Amino acid sequence: MVYLSGQFGVGWADPVNFAAFIATENTAMTKIITCNTNGIRAAARKGFFDWLAAEQADVVCIQETKAQEHQLSDPVFSPAGYHCYYNDAEKKGYSGTAVYSRLQPARVTTSLGWDPADSEGRYLQADYKSVSVISLYMPSGSSSEAALEKKYRFMGEFMAHLRSLRRKRREFIICADWNICHQQIDLRNWRSNQKNSGFLPEERAWLDHLYDEVGYIDSFRLINQEPDQYTWWSNRGQAWANNVGWRLDYQVITPKLADKVRSAAIYTEQRFSDHAPQIMEYDIDLAT
């Protein structure tokens, strides 16, 4: 069941499950937001933190902060009520991830032990009692052949890490700009993009393997199979106005969390960057 709000539609996408939602709406819900801000300072100027305060999320995962932590001394970048963690890229104005959490994590990890994950601040993991939440920024391969090769190397290294996580006695929610669309439903112009990074057969096969072989689940598609739901739009032409988008941002979960997914939304009433925030609610308690 999904409630979609904003420019591209309002309504219950799955009314059959409405009663189930009402039955669970008073349980302990955890709201998690993931968003590529394409520069957290730019997003702040566009009202991102005013919106975030109203959302009252439990965990917020941010990708592409494009700032060093010492450049974020303004209190707006340490939202009230949150423990805030940043993982910066060595290169200024580039990449970077962040996690804001109402509950203080037992442990925070910012290093995978290999580049470019570490040198570009592409990974930040917050561990709670039995669940971990990860903010991930997958490299883009669209700018050049060298960029695509870098992306493929990252995918290979990260798949090994994802396999290792499945052997741990905890559940995982990976919030990311994956920079990959999985299926035709996930982008408007799929026919003309089959030879472009983000929808290449090799990239899509990597997600096939992640889901079908390693066992992770795309939480959004678990409860929503509706078309025309995207999280990124090119700044060229009228892509945003015409909803010619790509679904690049999503929360991937381990199997035992599948029956804990309660709602999903893509927020489009305001535009904070070229990406839209993707919001999920889970029937879990991070403290237990």
Side-chain angles (χ1 to χ4, degrees):
M1 177 192 57
V2 177
Y3 187 75
L4 294 176
S5 65
Q7 181 179 2
F8 308 124
V10 177
W12 292 103
D14 188 358
V16 174
N17 289 328
F18 181 75
F21 176 81
I22 295 300
T24 60
E25 68 175 342
N26 293 320
T27 62
M29 290 292 175
T30 294
K31 179 191 282 191
I32 300 179
I33 294 174
T34 186
C35 184
N36 180 317
T37 58
N38 193 16
I40 197 167
R41 290 171 291 180
R45 292 191 294 270
K46 297 173 184 176
F48 176 73
F49 286 96
D50 293 332
W51 169 79
L52 197 62
E55 282 296 306
Q56 293 293 299
D58 297 283
V59 183
V60 181
C61 294
I62 296 172
Q63 301 85 42
E64 209 169 1
T65 55
K66 288 186 173 181
Q68 309 300 116
E69 192 167 359
H70 68 82
Q71 297 173 309
L72 305 177
S73 58
D74 189 303
V76 72
F77 300 111
S78 300
Y82 287 100
H83 302 275
C84 300
Y85 306 93
Y86 288 95
N87 188 15
D88 305 337
E90 294 175 1
K91 179 181 177 181
K92 292 183 178 180
Y94 181 73
S95 190
T97 50
V99 168
Y100 303 154
S101 177
R102 291 199 176 278
L103 176 67
Q104 185 172 12
R107 180 185 179 188
V108 173
T109 301
T110 59
S111 174
L112 291 178
W114 48 271
D115 288 329
D118 291 357
S119 61
E120 296 180 356
R122 292 184 177 272
Y123 185 89
L124 203 162
Q125 176 178 323
D127 294 340
Y128 304 94
K129 190 162 186 181
S130 59
V131 176
S132 294
V133 180
I134 294 168
S135 181
L136 167 72
Y137 180 35
M138 180 79 76
S140 171
S142 61
S143 63
S144 65
E145 285 297 322
L148 183 58
E149 286 304 313
K150 171 183 171 180
K151 182 178 184 179
Y152 283 153
R153 290 195 301 272
F154 190 101
M155 289 163 59
E157 292 274 11
F158 196 63
M159 182 61 78
H161 178 66
L162 290 166
R163 285 184 172 278
S164 72
L165 295 184
R166 292 285 284 119
R167 295 191 289 269
K168 297 183 181 295
R169 292 186 174 182
R170 60 176 39 249
E171 304 309 314
F172 290 88
I173 301 172
I174 305 168
C175 301
D177 173 4
W178 295 87
N179 266 311
I180 305 172
C181 285
H182 186 214
Q183 298 175 329
Q184 295 173 4
I185 192 176
D186 294 320
L187 71 167
R188 173 67 66 83
N189 293 332
W190 65 267
R191 289 182 179 85
S192 60
N193 280 293
Q194 294 178 85
K195 295 183 179 181
N196 293 329
S197 181
F199 198 60
L200 293 172
E202 296 87 347
E203 295 168 319
R204 299 172 65 197
W206 188 86
L207 285 179
D208 286 338
H209 184 75
L210 179 66
Y211 299 147
D212 299 338
E213 302 298 329
V214 188
Y216 287 88
I217 296 168
D218 177 351
S219 60
F220 188 89
R221 286 297 181 211
L222 184 66
I223 60 173
N224 186 327
Q225 293 296 322
E226 297 299 315
D228 302 324
Q229 297 175 68
Y230 311 123
T231 63
W232 178 83
W233 299 260
S234 170
N235 287 320
R236 299 176 182 176
Q238 296 294 312
W240 167 260
N242 296 322
N243 196 22
V244 180
W246 300 52
R247 192 175 70 95
L248 299 176
D249 309 80
Y250 34 102
Q251 301 183 26
V252 167
I253 60 175
T254 43
K256 289 184 179 179
L257 294 177
D259 65 351
K260 305 297 185 182
V261 178
R262 292 293 177 260
S263 69
I266 299 170
Y267 180 79
T268 58
E269 289 183 6
Q270 298 167 270
R271 198 176 190 197
F272 309 119
S273 80
D274 51 351
H275 292 253
Q278 202 267 312
I279 308 164
M280 302 291 302
E281 286 187 314
Y282 303 90
D283 185 10
I284 58 174
D285 185 347
L286 295 177
T288 62

PDB file of all heavy atoms in Angstrom, residues 201-231:
ATOM      1  N   PRO A 201      22.381  -3.372 -19.678  1.00  0.00           N
ATOM      2  CA  PRO A 201      22.097  -4.764 -19.300  1.00  0.00           C
ATOM      3  C   PRO A 201      22.964  -5.258 -18.154  1.00  0.00           C
ATOM      4  O   PRO A 201      22.484  -5.990 -17.275  1.00  0.00           O
ATOM      5  CB  PRO A 201      22.390  -5.536 -20.598  1.00  0.00           C
ATOM      6  CG  PRO A 201      22.187  -4.546 -21.688  1.00  0.00           C
ATOM      7  CD  PRO A 201      22.629  -3.223 -21.117  1.00  0.00           C
ATOM      8  N   GLU A 202      24.243  -4.862 -18.132  1.00  0.00           N
ATOM      9  CA  GLU A 202      25.139  -5.313 -17.071  1.00  0.00           C
ATOM     10  C   GLU A 202      24.729  -4.753 -15.713  1.00  0.00           C
ATOM     11  O   GLU A 202      24.820  -5.457 -14.685  1.00  0.00           O
ATOM     12  CB  GLU A 202      26.573  -4.877 -17.389  1.00  0.00           C
ATOM     13  CG  GLU A 202      27.160  -5.496 -18.634  1.00  0.00           C
ATOM     14  CD  GLU A 202      26.848  -4.727 -19.899  1.00  0.00           C
ATOM     15  OE1 GLU A 202      25.965  -3.821 -19.860  1.00  0.00           O
ATOM     16  OE2 GLU A 202      27.474  -5.021 -20.938  1.00  0.00           O
ATOM     17  N   GLU A 203      24.265  -3.509 -15.694  1.00  0.00           N
ATOM     18  CA  GLU A 203      23.826  -2.904 -14.438  1.00  0.00           C
ATOM     19  C   GLU A 203      22.536  -3.554 -13.940  1.00  0.00           C
ATOM     20  O   GLU A 203      22.388  -3.857 -12.746  1.00  0.00           O
ATOM     21  CB  GLU A 203      23.620  -1.407 -14.647  1.00  0.00           C
ATOM     22  CG  GLU A 203      24.898  -0.655 -14.982  1.00  0.00           C
ATOM     23  CD  GLU A 203      24.644   0.756 -15.454  1.00  0.00           C
ATOM     24  OE1 GLU A 203      23.685   0.967 -16.224  1.00  0.00           O
ATOM     25  OE2 GLU A 203      25.398   1.658 -15.045  1.00  0.00           O
ATOM     26  N   ARG A 204      21.624  -3.774 -14.847  1.00  0.00           N
ATOM     27  CA  ARG A 204      20.354  -4.402 -14.473  1.00  0.00           C
ATOM     28  C   ARG A 204      20.573  -5.836 -14.001  1.00  0.00           C
ATOM     29  O   ARG A 204      19.911  -6.301 -13.064  1.00  0.00           O
ATOM     30  CB  ARG A 204      19.402  -4.350 -15.656  1.00  0.00           C
ATOM     31  CG  ARG A 204      19.072  -2.923 -16.102  1.00  0.00           C
ATOM     32  CD  ARG A 204      18.276  -2.926 -17.383  1.00  0.00           C
ATOM     33  NE  ARG A 204      16.968  -3.550 -17.187  1.00  0.00           N
ATOM     34  CZ  ARG A 204      16.198  -3.978 -18.189  1.00  0.00           C
ATOM     35  NH1 ARG A 204      16.617  -3.881 -19.440  1.00  0.00           N
ATOM     36  NH2 ARG A 204      15.029  -4.511 -17.927  1.00  0.00           N
ATOM     37  N   ALA A 205      21.507  -6.541 -14.638  1.00  0.00           N
ATOM     38  CA  ALA A 205      21.817  -7.911 -14.230  1.00  0.00           C
ATOM     39  C   ALA A 205      22.418  -7.936 -12.829  1.00  0.00           C
ATOM     40  O   ALA A 205      22.210  -8.892 -12.063  1.00  0.00           O
ATOM     41  CB  ALA A 205      22.772  -8.544 -15.232  1.00  0.00           C
ATOM     42  N   TRP A 206      23.178  -6.890 -12.478  1.00  0.00           N
ATOM     43  CA  TRP A 206      23.734  -6.793 -11.130  1.00  0.00           C
ATOM     44  C   TRP A 206      22.608  -6.736 -10.102  1.00  0.00           C
ATOM     45  O   TRP A 206      22.666  -7.404  -9.058  1.00  0.00           O
ATOM     46  CB  TRP A 206      24.615  -5.548 -11.045  1.00  0.00           C
ATOM     47  CG  TRP A 206      25.412  -5.395  -9.793  1.00  0.00           C
ATOM     48  CD1 TRP A 206      26.638  -5.921  -9.523  1.00  0.00           C
ATOM     49  CD2 TRP A 206      25.028  -4.652  -8.620  1.00  0.00           C
ATOM     50  NE1 TRP A 206      27.053  -5.548  -8.262  1.00  0.00           N
ATOM     51  CE2 TRP A 206      26.092  -4.771  -7.687  1.00  0.00           C
ATOM     52  CE3 TRP A 206      23.905  -3.902  -8.285  1.00  0.00           C
ATOM     53  CZ2 TRP A 206      26.048  -4.164  -6.437  1.00  0.00           C
ATOM     54  CZ3 TRP A 206      23.868  -3.293  -7.029  1.00  0.00           C
ATOM     55  CH2 TRP A 206      24.922  -3.431  -6.123  1.00  0.00           C
ATOM     56  N   LEU A 207      21.565  -5.971 -10.382  1.00  0.00           N
ATOM     57  CA  LEU A 207      20.419  -5.918  -9.476  1.00  0.00           C
ATOM     58  C   LEU A 207      19.647  -7.233  -9.484  1.00  0.00           C
ATOM     59  O   LEU A 207      19.150  -7.675  -8.437  1.00  0.00           O
ATOM     60  CB  LEU A 207      19.496  -4.754  -9.855  1.00  0.00           C
ATOM     61  CG  LEU A 207      19.997  -3.358  -9.484  1.00  0.00           C
ATOM     62  CD1 LEU A 207      18.995  -2.300  -9.935  1.00  0.00           C
ATOM     63  CD2 LEU A 207      20.250  -3.232  -7.982  1.00  0.00           C
ATOM     64  N   ASP A 208      19.534  -7.868 -10.648  1.00  0.00           N
ATOM     65  CA  ASP A 208      18.918  -9.203 -10.691  1.00  0.00           C
ATOM     66  C   ASP A 208      19.630 -10.137  -9.713  1.00  0.00           C
ATOM     67  O   ASP A 208      18.986 -10.867  -8.947  1.00  0.00           O
ATOM     68  CB  ASP A 208      19.017  -9.798 -12.101  1.00  0.00           C
ATOM     69  CG  ASP A 208      18.056  -9.167 -13.094  1.00  0.00           C
ATOM     70  OD1 ASP A 208      17.046  -8.575 -12.661  1.00  0.00           O
ATOM     71  OD2 ASP A 208      18.323  -9.272 -14.302  1.00  0.00           O
ATOM     72  N   HIS A 209      20.947 -10.114  -9.762  1.00  0.00           N
ATOM     73  CA  HIS A 209      21.738 -10.983  -8.892  1.00  0.00           C
ATOM     74  C   HIS A 209      21.533 -10.612  -7.423  1.00  0.00           C
ATOM     75  O   HIS A 209      21.393 -11.496  -6.568  1.00  0.00           O
ATOM     76  CB  HIS A 209      23.221 -10.868  -9.269  1.00  0.00           C
ATOM     77  CG  HIS A 209      24.104 -11.793  -8.502  1.00  0.00           C
ATOM     78  ND1 HIS A 209      24.171 -13.150  -8.758  1.00  0.00           N
ATOM     79  CD2 HIS A 209      24.959 -11.571  -7.453  1.00  0.00           C
ATOM     80  CE1 HIS A 209      25.026 -13.719  -7.924  1.00  0.00           C
ATOM     81  NE2 HIS A 209      25.510 -12.785  -7.113  1.00  0.00           N
ATOM     82  N   LEU A 210      21.498  -9.309  -7.144  1.00  0.00           N
ATOM     83  CA  LEU A 210      21.301  -8.846  -5.771  1.00  0.00           C
ATOM     84  C   LEU A 210      19.982  -9.359  -5.202  1.00  0.00           C
ATOM     85  O   LEU A 210      19.919  -9.812  -4.054  1.00  0.00           O
ATOM     86  CB  LEU A 210      21.323  -7.324  -5.734  1.00  0.00           C
ATOM     87  CG  LEU A 210      21.119  -6.656  -4.375  1.00  0.00           C
ATOM     88  CD1 LEU A 210      22.282  -6.966  -3.438  1.00  0.00           C
ATOM     89  CD2 LEU A 210      20.934  -5.153  -4.523  1.00  0.00           C
ATOM     90  N   TYR A 211      18.939  -9.306  -6.012  1.00  0.00           N
ATOM     91  CA  TYR A 211      17.615  -9.720  -5.547  1.00  0.00           C
ATOM     92  C   TYR A 211      17.425 -11.233  -5.616  1.00  0.00           C
ATOM     93  O   TYR A 211      17.002 -11.867  -4.647  1.00  0.00           O
ATOM     94  CB  TYR A 211      16.531  -9.036  -6.384  1.00  0.00           C
ATOM     95  CG  TYR A 211      16.543  -7.527  -6.317  1.00  0.00           C
ATOM     96  CD1 TYR A 211      16.174  -6.763  -7.425  1.00  0.00           C
ATOM     97  CD2 TYR A 211      16.925  -6.848  -5.170  1.00  0.00           C
ATOM     98  CE1 TYR A 211      16.178  -5.375  -7.374  1.00  0.00           C
ATOM     99  CE2 TYR A 211      16.945  -5.464  -5.109  1.00  0.00           C
ATOM    100  CZ  TYR A 211      16.568  -4.732  -6.220  1.00  0.00           C
ATOM    101  OH  TYR A 211      16.583  -3.362  -6.170  1.00  0.00           O
ATOM    102  N   ASP A 212      17.735 -11.810  -6.754  1.00  0.00           N
ATOM    103  CA  ASP A 212      17.389 -13.215  -6.994  1.00  0.00           C
ATOM    104  C   ASP A 212      18.367 -14.197  -6.368  1.00  0.00           C
ATOM    105  O   ASP A 212      17.965 -15.290  -5.954  1.00  0.00           O
ATOM    106  CB  ASP A 212      17.305 -13.483  -8.503  1.00  0.00           C
ATOM    107  CG  ASP A 212      16.244 -12.640  -9.193  1.00  0.00           C
ATOM    108  OD1 ASP A 212      15.315 -12.175  -8.498  1.00  0.00           O
ATOM    109  OD2 ASP A 212      16.355 -12.434 -10.419  1.00  0.00           O
ATOM    110  N   GLU A 213      19.634 -13.834  -6.297  1.00  0.00           N
ATOM    111  CA  GLU A 213      20.637 -14.759  -5.795  1.00  0.00           C
ATOM    112  C   GLU A 213      21.060 -14.442  -4.357  1.00  0.00           C
ATOM    113  O   GLU A 213      21.172 -15.341  -3.528  1.00  0.00           O
ATOM    114  CB  GLU A 213      21.877 -14.740  -6.709  1.00  0.00           C
ATOM    115  CG  GLU A 213      21.581 -15.087  -8.161  1.00  0.00           C
ATOM    116  CD  GLU A 213      21.029 -16.483  -8.339  1.00  0.00           C
ATOM    117  OE1 GLU A 213      21.395 -17.372  -7.543  1.00  0.00           O
ATOM    118  OE2 GLU A 213      20.222 -16.691  -9.270  1.00  0.00           O
ATOM    119  N   VAL A 214      21.309 -13.172  -4.064  1.00  0.00           N
ATOM    120  CA  VAL A 214      21.785 -12.801  -2.730  1.00  0.00           C
ATOM    121  C   VAL A 214      20.621 -12.644  -1.763  1.00  0.00           C
ATOM    122  O   VAL A 214      20.776 -12.793  -0.548  1.00  0.00           O
ATOM    123  CB  VAL A 214      22.642 -11.516  -2.796  1.00  0.00           C
ATOM    124  CG1 VAL A 214      23.292 -11.230  -1.446  1.00  0.00           C
ATOM    125  CG2 VAL A 214      23.723 -11.659  -3.859  1.00  0.00           C
ATOM    126  N   GLY A 215      19.435 -12.307  -2.287  1.00  0.00           N
ATOM    127  CA  GLY A 215      18.231 -12.349  -1.467  1.00  0.00           C
ATOM    128  C   GLY A 215      17.704 -11.038  -0.935  1.00  0.00           C
ATOM    129  O   GLY A 215      16.759 -11.014  -0.148  1.00  0.00           O
ATOM    130  N   TYR A 216      18.287  -9.908  -1.358  1.00  0.00           N
ATOM    131  CA  TYR A 216      17.763  -8.611  -0.928  1.00  0.00           C
ATOM    132  C   TYR A 216      16.452  -8.294  -1.651  1.00  0.00           C
ATOM    133  O   TYR A 216      16.113  -8.912  -2.671  1.00  0.00           O
ATOM    134  CB  TYR A 216      18.788  -7.510  -1.201  1.00  0.00           C
ATOM    135  CG  TYR A 216      19.975  -7.533  -0.263  1.00  0.00           C
ATOM    136  CD1 TYR A 216      21.094  -8.301  -0.559  1.00  0.00           C
ATOM    137  CD2 TYR A 216      19.984  -6.782   0.907  1.00  0.00           C
ATOM    138  CE1 TYR A 216      22.188  -8.329   0.297  1.00  0.00           C
ATOM    139  CE2 TYR A 216      21.078  -6.797   1.762  1.00  0.00           C
ATOM    140  CZ  TYR A 216      22.179  -7.580   1.449  1.00  0.00           C
ATOM    141  OH  TYR A 216      23.259  -7.594   2.290  1.00  0.00           O
ATOM    142  N   ILE A 217      15.729  -7.295  -1.125  1.00  0.00           N
ATOM    143  CA  ILE A 217      14.400  -6.953  -1.646  1.00  0.00           C
ATOM    144  C   ILE A 217      14.299  -5.449  -1.852  1.00  0.00           C
ATOM    145  O   ILE A 217      14.703  -4.663  -0.984  1.00  0.00           O
ATOM    146  CB  ILE A 217      13.302  -7.423  -0.665  1.00  0.00           C
ATOM    147  CG1 ILE A 217      13.315  -8.961  -0.542  1.00  0.00           C
ATOM    148  CG2 ILE A 217      11.924  -6.939  -1.108  1.00  0.00           C
ATOM    149  CD1 ILE A 217      12.463  -9.476   0.603  1.00  0.00           C
ATOM    150  N   ASP A 218      13.758  -5.045  -2.980  1.00  0.00           N
ATOM    151  CA  ASP A 218      13.433  -3.644  -3.251  1.00  0.00           C
ATOM    152  C   ASP A 218      12.135  -3.346  -2.514  1.00  0.00           C
ATOM    153  O   ASP A 218      11.055  -3.739  -2.943  1.00  0.00           O
ATOM    154  CB  ASP A 218      13.274  -3.450  -4.762  1.00  0.00           C
ATOM    155  CG  ASP A 218      12.864  -2.044  -5.160  1.00  0.00           C
ATOM    156  OD1 ASP A 218      12.525  -1.234  -4.279  1.00  0.00           O
ATOM    157  OD2 ASP A 218      12.878  -1.760  -6.372  1.00  0.00           O
ATOM    158  N   SER A 219      12.231  -2.658  -1.371  1.00  0.00           N
ATOM    159  CA  SER A 219      11.065  -2.484  -0.502  1.00  0.00           C
ATOM    160  C   SER A 219       9.947  -1.700  -1.180  1.00  0.00           C
ATOM    161  O   SER A 219       8.763  -1.958  -0.932  1.00  0.00           O
ATOM    162  CB  SER A 219      11.469  -1.800   0.804  1.00  0.00           C
ATOM    163  OG  SER A 219      12.042  -0.524   0.559  1.00  0.00           O
ATOM    164  N   PHE A 220      10.293  -0.752  -2.032  1.00  0.00           N
ATOM    165  CA  PHE A 220       9.272   0.045  -2.703  1.00  0.00           C
ATOM    166  C   PHE A 220       8.434  -0.828  -3.629  1.00  0.00           C
ATOM    167  O   PHE A 220       7.203  -0.817  -3.575  1.00  0.00           O
ATOM    168  CB  PHE A 220       9.935   1.172  -3.494  1.00  0.00           C
ATOM    169  CG  PHE A 220       8.974   2.166  -4.080  1.00  0.00           C
ATOM    170  CD1 PHE A 220       8.569   3.276  -3.368  1.00  0.00           C
ATOM    171  CD2 PHE A 220       8.463   1.997  -5.361  1.00  0.00           C
ATOM    172  CE1 PHE A 220       7.680   4.202  -3.899  1.00  0.00           C
ATOM    173  CE2 PHE A 220       7.579   2.914  -5.910  1.00  0.00           C
ATOM    174  CZ  PHE A 220       7.188   4.014  -5.174  1.00  0.00           C
ATOM    175  N   ARG A 221       9.093  -1.605  -4.483  1.00  0.00           N
ATOM    176  CA  ARG A 221       8.370  -2.455  -5.422  1.00  0.00           C
ATOM    177  C   ARG A 221       7.677  -3.627  -4.733  1.00  0.00           C
ATOM    178  O   ARG A 221       6.781  -4.244  -5.300  1.00  0.00           O
ATOM    179  CB  ARG A 221       9.306  -2.958  -6.511  1.00  0.00           C
ATOM    180  CG  ARG A 221       9.669  -1.887  -7.534  1.00  0.00           C
ATOM    181  CD  ARG A 221       8.457  -1.394  -8.283  1.00  0.00           C
ATOM    182  NE  ARG A 221       8.785  -0.381  -9.281  1.00  0.00           N
ATOM    183  CZ  ARG A 221       7.977   0.595  -9.648  1.00  0.00           C
ATOM    184  NH1 ARG A 221       6.781   0.710  -9.076  1.00  0.00           N
ATOM    185  NH2 ARG A 221       8.329   1.455 -10.573  1.00  0.00           N
ATOM    186  N   LEU A 222       8.065  -3.929  -3.522  1.00  0.00           N
ATOM    187  CA  LEU A 222       7.393  -4.985  -2.778  1.00  0.00           C
ATOM    188  C   LEU A 222       5.919  -4.667  -2.593  1.00  0.00           C
ATOM    189  O   LEU A 222       5.066  -5.556  -2.605  1.00  0.00           O
ATOM    190  CB  LEU A 222       8.065  -5.152  -1.413  1.00  0.00           C
ATOM    191  CG  LEU A 222       7.577  -6.280  -0.520  1.00  0.00           C
ATOM    192  CD1 LEU A 222       7.889  -7.634  -1.136  1.00  0.00           C
ATOM    193  CD2 LEU A 222       8.212  -6.164   0.866  1.00  0.00           C
ATOM    194  N   ILE A 223       5.594  -3.373  -2.449  1.00  0.00           N
ATOM    195  CA  ILE A 223       4.203  -2.998  -2.204  1.00  0.00           C
ATOM    196  C   ILE A 223       3.637  -2.064  -3.266  1.00  0.00           C
ATOM    197  O   ILE A 223       2.487  -1.644  -3.165  1.00  0.00           O
ATOM    198  CB  ILE A 223       4.055  -2.353  -0.811  1.00  0.00           C
ATOM    199  CG1 ILE A 223       4.907  -1.091  -0.692  1.00  0.00           C
ATOM    200  CG2 ILE A 223       4.400  -3.348   0.275  1.00  0.00           C
ATOM    201  CD1 ILE A 223       4.674  -0.321   0.604  1.00  0.00           C
ATOM    202  N   ASN A 224       4.413  -1.747  -4.268  1.00  0.00           N
ATOM    203  CA  ASN A 224       3.943  -0.804  -5.286  1.00  0.00           C
ATOM    204  C   ASN A 224       4.487  -1.190  -6.653  1.00  0.00           C
ATOM    205  O   ASN A 224       5.697  -1.167  -6.874  1.00  0.00           O
ATOM    206  CB  ASN A 224       4.409   0.613  -4.933  1.00  0.00           C
ATOM    207  CG  ASN A 224       3.825   1.662  -5.863  1.00  0.00           C
ATOM    208  OD1 ASN A 224       3.594   1.415  -7.034  1.00  0.00           O
ATOM    209  ND2 ASN A 224       3.601   2.852  -5.338  1.00  0.00           N
ATOM    210  N   GLN A 225       3.596  -1.508  -7.556  1.00  0.00           N
ATOM    211  CA  GLN A 225       3.972  -1.863  -8.921  1.00  0.00           C
ATOM    212  C   GLN A 225       3.440  -0.843  -9.927  1.00  0.00           C
ATOM    213  O   GLN A 225       3.348  -1.119 -11.125  1.00  0.00           O
ATOM    214  CB  GLN A 225       3.444  -3.259  -9.273  1.00  0.00           C
ATOM    215  CG  GLN A 225       4.102  -4.375  -8.489  1.00  0.00           C
ATOM    216  CD  GLN A 225       5.578  -4.513  -8.786  1.00  0.00           C
ATOM    217  OE1 GLN A 225       6.013  -4.352  -9.916  1.00  0.00           O
ATOM    218  NE2 GLN A 225       6.366  -4.796  -7.750  1.00  0.00           N
ATOM    219  N   GLU A 226       3.114   0.353  -9.437  1.00  0.00           N
ATOM    220  CA  GLU A 226       2.575   1.381 -10.309  1.00  0.00           C
ATOM    221  C   GLU A 226       3.664   2.032 -11.154  1.00  0.00           C
ATOM    222  O   GLU A 226       4.784   2.209 -10.706  1.00  0.00           O
ATOM    223  CB  GLU A 226       1.865   2.455  -9.479  1.00  0.00           C
ATOM    224  CG  GLU A 226       0.675   1.950  -8.699  1.00  0.00           C
ATOM    225  CD  GLU A 226      -0.409   1.390  -9.592  1.00  0.00           C
ATOM    226  OE1 GLU A 226      -0.718   2.044 -10.604  1.00  0.00           O
ATOM    227  OE2 GLU A 226      -0.934   0.307  -9.286  1.00  0.00           O
ATOM    228  N   PRO A 227       3.349   2.398 -12.404  1.00  0.00           N
ATOM    229  CA  PRO A 227       4.329   3.077 -13.254  1.00  0.00           C
ATOM    230  C   PRO A 227       4.424   4.564 -12.926  1.00  0.00           C
ATOM    231  O   PRO A 227       3.687   5.079 -12.082  1.00  0.00           O
ATOM    232  CB  PRO A 227       3.753   2.873 -14.663  1.00  0.00           C
ATOM    233  CG  PRO A 227       2.267   2.833 -14.435  1.00  0.00           C
ATOM    234  CD  PRO A 227       2.078   2.138 -13.103  1.00  0.00           C
ATOM    235  N   ASP A 228       5.347   5.234 -13.607  1.00  0.00           N
ATOM    236  CA  ASP A 228       5.481   6.705 -13.542  1.00  0.00           C
ATOM    237  C   ASP A 228       5.841   7.209 -12.154  1.00  0.00           C
ATOM    238  O   ASP A 228       5.436   8.305 -11.765  1.00  0.00           O
ATOM    239  CB  ASP A 228       4.207   7.387 -14.036  1.00  0.00           C
ATOM    240  CG  ASP A 228       3.860   6.997 -15.460  1.00  0.00           C
ATOM    241  OD1 ASP A 228       4.792   6.811 -16.275  1.00  0.00           O
ATOM    242  OD2 ASP A 228       2.664   6.873 -15.767  1.00  0.00           O
ATOM    243  N   GLN A 229       6.607   6.439 -11.416  1.00  0.00           N
ATOM    244  CA  GLN A 229       7.032   6.854 -10.088  1.00  0.00           C
ATOM    245  C   GLN A 229       8.559   6.913 -10.081  1.00  0.00           C
ATOM    246  O   GLN A 229       9.231   5.885 -10.074  1.00  0.00           O
ATOM    247  CB  GLN A 229       6.505   5.875  -9.039  1.00  0.00           C
ATOM    248  CG  GLN A 229       4.978   5.893  -9.014  1.00  0.00           C
ATOM    249  CD  GLN A 229       4.394   4.860  -8.088  1.00  0.00           C
ATOM    250  OE1 GLN A 229       4.538   4.961  -6.870  1.00  0.00           O
ATOM    251  NE2 GLN A 229       3.739   3.872  -8.652  1.00  0.00           N
ATOM    252  N   TYR A 230       9.066   8.112 -10.076  1.00  0.00           N
ATOM    253  CA  TYR A 230      10.494   8.332 -10.280  1.00  0.00           C
ATOM    254  C   TYR A 230      11.073   9.171  -9.147  1.00  0.00           C
ATOM    255  O   TYR A 230      10.349   9.852  -8.421  1.00  0.00           O
ATOM    256  CB  TYR A 230      10.727   9.030 -11.626  1.00  0.00           C
ATOM    257  CG  TYR A 230      10.006   8.364 -12.772  1.00  0.00           C
ATOM    258  CD1 TYR A 230       9.094   9.074 -13.565  1.00  0.00           C
ATOM    259  CD2 TYR A 230      10.209   7.018 -13.070  1.00  0.00           C
ATOM    260  CE1 TYR A 230       8.423   8.466 -14.614  1.00  0.00           C
ATOM    261  CE2 TYR A 230       9.544   6.403 -14.117  1.00  0.00           C
ATOM    262  CZ  TYR A 230       8.647   7.131 -14.887  1.00  0.00           C
ATOM    263  OH  TYR A 230       7.979   6.522 -15.921  1.00  0.00           O
ATOM    264  N   THR A 231      12.406   9.123  -9.033  1.00  0.00           N
ATOM    265  CA  THR A 231      13.082   9.903  -7.998  1.00  0.00           C
ATOM    266  C   THR A 231      14.147  10.838  -8.566  1.00  0.00           C
ATOM    267  O   THR A 231      14.766  11.581  -7.813  1.00  0.00           O
ATOM    268  CB  THR A 231      13.752   8.984  -6.955  1.00  0.00           C
ATOM    269  OG1 THR A 231      14.771   8.195  -7.611  1.00  0.00           O
ATOM    270  CG2 THR A 231      12.735   8.057  -6.297  1.00  0.00           C
TER     271      THR A 231
END
